[in-house]
Amino acid sequence: MTQAILDVLHDVMTSPWIYLALFALALLDGFFPVVPAETSVITAGVFAAATGAPDLLLVIVVAALGAFAGDHISYAIGRTTNDRLRNGRRSRKAFAWAERALAERGGLVLVVARYIPGGRTACTLTMGAVAYPRRAFALFDALAAVSWALYSGLIGYVGGAAFEHDPLKGLLLGLGLALTVTAVVEAVRHLRRRRRTAPEPELVASGD
C-alpha cells in the first residue's frame, strides 16, 4: 500500500504538469482556503530532495506566483462584496481579527496571516473591503507570497533530505514541521491577546 502511494506521488511529481498544478492550487487557495496548496508545495519539496524531481526553484517560483495571483483575486472579491462577507455569521470574527491586525501592523499583517489558519483569506478580503491602496497591497503581498513559497518548499526539502530513501517519512516530517510552526504562531497570538485583555490591577489608596 505504501509503495503504491509512493509510486503515484512519484508519477505526479515527475510530470511537467506539476508546475501548472502547483500554480493553480496556490491561486485557488487565495480565495478558497480548503485547497491543500501548502501540503502540495511541501510534498513537491520532499520529492525534490529525495528524487531530484520536480525542480525546487521552479516549485518555489510557481507557488509564489500562484499565491500572489490568488491574493489579488481575493482582494478584488473584497472590494465588490465587502458588506455581504463582513456580516456573514462565520466570517465576522475573521474580519474583526483582520481589521484589528491591519490597524496595528499595516501591510505586514499579510506576512503574518500566511501562518494563521484562515488568516490569509480574511486578511486579503478585508484589505480589499477597506480599499487598502492596491500598490501597497501588491508590495506587501509579494513579500508574503515569496516567504510562504520559500517556507513551504524548504520545509519539504528538509524532510526529503532527512529521509532520502523514504519520501513518505520525509513528507510526514515536513507536514509535522509546518503544523508545529502554525501551532507556535497560534500560541503566541493567544498569549498576546490574553495580555492585552487582562484587567489592570486596581490601585488601593493608602490612608493617612
Side-chain angles (χ1 to χ4, degrees):
M1 181 64 177
T2 300
Q3 188 57 47
I5 294 173
L6 287 175
D7 289 342
V8 170
L9 286 174
H10 182 267
D11 291 342
V12 171
M13 291 299 159
T14 55
S15 168
W17 292 100
I18 185 60
Y19 303 108
L20 180 60
L22 290 173
F23 176 87
L25 288 171
L27 183 148
L28 288 171
D29 191 45
F31 51 92
F32 193 58
V34 298
V35 174
E38 184 171 306
T39 302
S40 301
V41 178
I42 291 173
T43 304
V46 169
F47 276 82
T51 67
D55 183 84
L56 180 64
L57 180 58
L58 282 177
V59 167
I60 292 171
V61 169
V62 298
L65 289 174
F68 184 80
D71 288 348
H72 277 71
I73 293 174
S74 180
Y75 176 92
I77 293 172
R79 289 291 294 266
T80 57
T81 59
N82 54 345
D83 291 335
R84 191 186 314 163
L85 290 168
R86 191 190 303 273
N87 296 324
R89 185 176 61 182
R90 295 183 178 180
S91 59
R92 192 175 302 155
K93 290 183 179 180
F95 266 88
W97 168 83
E99 288 178 336
R100 288 195 304 270
L102 185 59
E104 293 173 4
R105 302 182 183 89
L108 284 175
V109 71
L110 270 173
V111 181
V112 178
R114 288 278 167 181
Y115 307 97
I116 299 171
R120 170 192 178 187
T121 305
C123 186
T124 51
L125 287 170
T126 299
M127 293 178 87
V130 301
Y132 192 84
R134 192 182 297 271
R135 184 172 297 180
F137 174 83
L139 176 64
F140 285 111
D141 191 53
L143 176 62
V146 171
S147 68
W148 170 79
L150 279 168
Y151 154 80
S152 301
L154 291 177
I155 276 187
Y157 193 85
V158 168
F163 293 96
E164 185 175 353
H165 301 295
D166 195 343
L168 196 57
K169 288 183 179 178
L171 177 57
L172 293 175
L173 175 60
L175 293 175
L177 289 172
L179 288 173
T180 299
V181 170
T182 302
V184 169
V185 171
E186 282 291 282
V188 170
R189 283 183 61 236
H190 179 70
L191 289 173
R192 291 186 63 182
R193 186 166 60 246
R194 287 188 60 182
R195 287 179 181 176
R196 284 199 303 265
T197 57
E200 295 183 1
E202 296 182 1
L203 297 177
V204 179
S206 58
D208 291 332

